[in-house]
């Protein structure tokens, strides 16, 4: 049995007209002799709407109830789409996460997939030509509904492809592939024919929301061929592949941005062993994912500690800090939720110096202030005022000539990152 997974995001199932385009893609796969697992997101805006509803009912919604409610978005999509398929005489039915079942851990709101009943899926594919599967959702070992985090339908799709040994996992969305940066922010962004799993992993983890990071991890681990492409055109998109010699040998391969950042500075904390643990341990226990961390050099036994957290975790973080303020000797706590992180990414950076200085010079030309810098061997991230996000992305994209193929070397010998 030849199996194909096709995943369609929120804008692809936004209304009847869009769903008819989805129908065309599914029909084409059927005509090519595939059985099709169609993984759908909620209709555009629905997940945000449901979350806002919960926040009106409760200031601290129970995460399990939140998941129970928010999974209804995908439930509507798969039921409506199955009706369309059946009206066309196609043998199809909808499947919710718990009906497969797709088991996850009990981390409501950010659950991880543990197991998919693939023999059951295979058996159902004997009976049906298309299974319309609700993305983003699963159930834990106590049969409570769970979700996989925002953008989680991508992960559902890749996991389904791995579980059923599908020939390909097609991720259909509102852009026609993976670009050097968000094409909706930078008109000079260039579509990539192929991208290595590792590079995509880095782009996704730095904020490129075209694929959820977990989906790329899955694809890499199980070697799933993923094809990112547009629901609304027929042009080929971008293939996720293992790194090989035929790929562009770029120093810098892309720019990503993440607006979901809030900055916190703890001023004048004691500079002594154990202070970082006192600050970050309770945050970890509360499930707050701390991103950039910078500690200033010591001045008379005191230092400033600056870090970023997701915007949604800012209030909780400030409460936790308030509880330990005296213990760490903080004289003041500053916060700024209007920041974003822009990252320059490239595997080629590993062996080259001078990339950071090119980025900094370009930002100086535009008078963009950098609030925090963090680097790894394959990325440089700058925290900037949120209102300069798009300008920063475009400036860096141009500075590294990313609109050109192949990219020019950007080396400035003798300078270090
Ligand atoms: P879907 O609802 O189909 O899952 P998403 O909104 O989650 O779609 O992801 C698609 C969006 O990702 C695009 O509209 C684009 O704005 C954004 N994006 C960010 N970075 C990139 C990139 N490097 N290449 C392509 N799209 C990107
Ligand atoms: N509907 C969910 C979201 O908006 C999951 C997804 O679309 O991938 O995050
Ligand atoms: Mg998405």
């Amino acid at each position: 049995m030849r199996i194909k997974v096709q995943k369609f995001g929120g804008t692809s199932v936004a209304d009847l007209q869009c769903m008819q385009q989805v129908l065309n893609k599914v029909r084409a796969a059927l005509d090519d002799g595939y059985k099709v697992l169609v993984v759908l997101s909620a209709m555009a805006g629905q997940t945000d709407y449901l979350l806002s509803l919960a926040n009106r009912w409760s200031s601290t919604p129970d995460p399990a109830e939140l998941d129970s409610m928010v999974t209804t978005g995908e439930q509507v999509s798969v039921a409506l789409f199955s009706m369309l398929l059946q009206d066309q005489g196609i043998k199809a039915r909808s499947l919710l996460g718990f009906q497969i079942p797709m088991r996850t851990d009990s981390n409501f709101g950010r659950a991880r997939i543990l197991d998919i009943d693939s023999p059951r899926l295979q058996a159902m594919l004997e009976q049906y030509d298309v299974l319309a599967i609700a993305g983003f959702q699963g159930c834990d070992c106590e049969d409570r509904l769970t979700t996989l985090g925002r953008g989680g339908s991508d992960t559902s799709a890749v996991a389904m492809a791995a579980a059923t040994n599908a020939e390909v996992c097609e991720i259909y969305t509102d852009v026609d592939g993976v670009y050097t940066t968000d094409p909706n922010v930078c008109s000079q962004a260039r579509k990539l024919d192929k991208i290595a799993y590792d590079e995509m992993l880095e782009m996704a983890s730095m904020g490129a929301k075209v694929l959820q990071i977990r989906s790329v991890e899955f694809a890499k681990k199980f070697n799933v061929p993923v094809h990112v492409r547009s629901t609304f055109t027929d042009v080929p998109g971008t293939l996720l592949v293992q790194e090989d010699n035929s790929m562009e040998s770029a120093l810098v391969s892309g720019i990503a941005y993440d607006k979901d950042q809030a900055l916190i500075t703890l001023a004048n904390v004691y500079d002594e062993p154990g202070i970082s643990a006192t600050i970050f341990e309770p945050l970890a226990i509360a499930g707050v994912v701390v991103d950039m961390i910078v500690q200033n050099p010591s001045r008379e036994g005191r230092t400033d500690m600056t870090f970023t957290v997701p915007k949604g975790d800012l209030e909780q973080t400030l409460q936790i800090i308030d509880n330990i303020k005296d213990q760490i000797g903080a004289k003041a706590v500053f916060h700024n939720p209007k920041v974003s992180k822009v990252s320059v990414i490239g595997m080629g950076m590993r062996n080259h110096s001078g990339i950071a200085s090119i980025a900094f010079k370009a930002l100086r030309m535009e008078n963009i202030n950098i609030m925090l810098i963090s680097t790894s061997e394959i990325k440089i991230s700058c925290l900037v005022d949120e209102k300069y996000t798009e300008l920063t992305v475009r400036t860096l994209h141009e500075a590294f000539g990313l609109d050109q193929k192949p990219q020019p070397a950007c080396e400035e010998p003798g300078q270090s990152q």
Side-chain angles (χ1 to χ4, degrees):
M1 184 191 302
R2 295 177 69 203
I3 299 172
K4 190 181 249 199
V5 174
Q6 296 185 318
K7 178 260 170 179
F8 297 88
T11 43
S12 307
V13 293
D15 54 29
L16 179 58
Q17 220 179 349
C18 292
M19 277 211 197
Q20 265 148 357
Q21 307 258 36
V22 173
L23 187 64
N24 291 339
K25 300 287 181 197
V26 175
R27 190 186 286 288
L30 289 171
D31 290 346
D32 286 343
Y34 289 100
K35 295 275 187 170
V36 194
L37 296 178
V38 182
V39 176
L40 299 184
S41 292
M43 297 163 100
Q46 276 306 303
T47 308
D48 287 340
Y49 166 71
L50 291 167
L51 289 171
S52 71
L53 206 56
N55 288 323
R56 272 172 37 209
W57 255 248
S58 161
S59 56
T60 50
D62 175 55
E65 298 306 342
L66 206 54
D67 274 2
S68 219
M69 183 194 58
V70 87
T71 49
T72 60
E74 274 69 14
Q75 182 166 349
V76 170
S77 298
V78 290
L80 285 175
F81 189 61
S82 299
M83 293 174 201
L84 276 189
L85 291 165
Q86 288 161 2
D87 281 358
Q88 298 290 315
I90 297 169
K91 278 197 278 178
R93 66 157 283 182
S94 64
L95 266 182
L96 304 180
F98 80 90
Q99 293 172 317
I100 297 173
M102 182 171 92
R103 293 280 169 208
T104 70
D105 62 21
S106 303
N107 264 314
F108 299 103
R110 50 180 155 221
R112 286 182 161 246
I113 299 170
L114 299 176
D115 184 52
I116 294 172
D117 190 340
S118 35
R120 182 165 148 79
L121 276 178
Q122 302 269 4
M124 290 185 93
L125 282 174
E126 300 285 350
Q127 215 182 329
Y128 296 95
D129 292 326
V130 181
L131 296 174
I133 295 175
F136 179 52
Q137 56 177 262
C139 62
D140 72 1
C141 60
E142 289 174 5
D143 290 336
R144 298 208 74 170
L145 303 185
T146 55
T147 64
L148 309 180
R150 297 307 305 265
S153 299
D154 298 331
T155 304
S156 307
V158 177
M160 294 295 158
T164 55
N165 233 335
E167 272 179 36
V168 63
C169 178
E170 294 177 333
I171 304 281
Y172 286 94
T173 183
D174 55 2
V175 288
D176 57 8
V178 178
Y179 282 68
T180 46
T181 192
D182 186 342
N184 290 321
V185 163
C186 177
S187 59
Q188 300 299 311
R190 184 171 52 92
K191 191 168 86 179
L192 303 166
D193 300 333
K194 304 195 257 182
I195 185 168
Y197 291 119
D198 283 331
E199 217 135 32
M200 190 63 236
L201 212 50
E202 204 60 33
M203 293 272 276
S205 64
M206 290 299 116
K209 68 170 185 160
V210 61
L211 285 175
Q212 197 199 35
I213 177 165
R214 289 281 297 138
S215 70
V216 189
E217 284 170 357
F218 250 103
K220 184 182 174 199
K221 185 166 171 191
F222 297 102
N223 227 347
V224 177
V226 174
H227 187 180
V228 179
R229 54 193 312 189
S230 166
T231 305
F232 307 104
T233 68
D234 283 327
V235 296
T238 302
L239 292 173
L240 265 64
V241 292
Q242 299 288 358
E243 202 168 356
D244 70 49
N245 294 338
S246 73
M247 303 189 71
E248 292 178 24
S249 55
L251 298 183
V252 170
S253 51
I255 313 289
Y257 64 90
D258 179 3
K259 290 188 172 179
D260 187 22
Q261 296 265 323
L263 179 74
I264 298 167
T265 298
L266 311 178
N268 267 314
V269 296
Y270 301 130
D271 187 16
E272 55 190 45
I275 288 296
S276 297
T278 309
I279 297 168
F280 296 114
E281 212 179 352
L283 292 176
I285 291 168
V288 175
V289 181
V290 177
D291 188 352
M292 303 167 98
I293 304 178
V294 172
Q295 185 187 328
N296 287 350
S298 185
R299 304 177 310 273
E300 294 158 13
R302 297 275 186 165
T303 184
D304 293 340
M305 187 76 84
T306 302
F307 57 94
T308 63
V309 297
K311 280 190 170 77
D313 290 337
L314 178 61
E315 283 312 314
Q316 193 187 3
T317 303
L318 292 174
Q319 274 166 23
I320 292 171
I321 296 298
D322 203 47
N323 293 338
I324 55 163
K325 206 167 69 206
D326 295 337
Q327 216 180 329
I328 58 174
K331 294 242 172 86
V333 178
F334 304 102
H335 66 272
N336 181 0
K338 294 196 169 156
V339 294
S340 66
K341 182 176 73 173
V342 181
S343 304
V344 177
I345 296 153
M347 297 297 169
M349 270 190 224
R350 274 185 295 226
N351 310 315
H352 284 80
S353 59
I355 306 290
S357 80
I358 291 173
F360 301 155
K361 271 193 274 182
L363 298 185
R364 178 177 64 193
M365 293 290 286
E366 291 296 336
N367 216 10
I368 297 168
N369 187 42
I370 307 171
M371 300 175 185
L372 274 190
I373 299 166
S374 80
T375 63
S376 78
E377 58 173 6
I378 54 167
K379 69 151 204 321
I380 300 157
S381 300
C382 298
L383 201 75
V384 297
D385 190 323
E386 194 182 56
K387 66 174 181 272
Y388 297 127
T389 312
E390 286 77 10
L391 179 62
T392 306
V393 168
R394 288 194 284 265
T395 302
L396 293 173
H397 195 270
E398 196 183 336
F400 289 103
L402 290 176
D403 56 325
Q404 306 291 330
K405 181 190 177 188
Q407 293 153 27
C410 304
E411 198 174 0
E412 290 201 349
Q415 296 187 30
S416 66
Q417 251 195 20

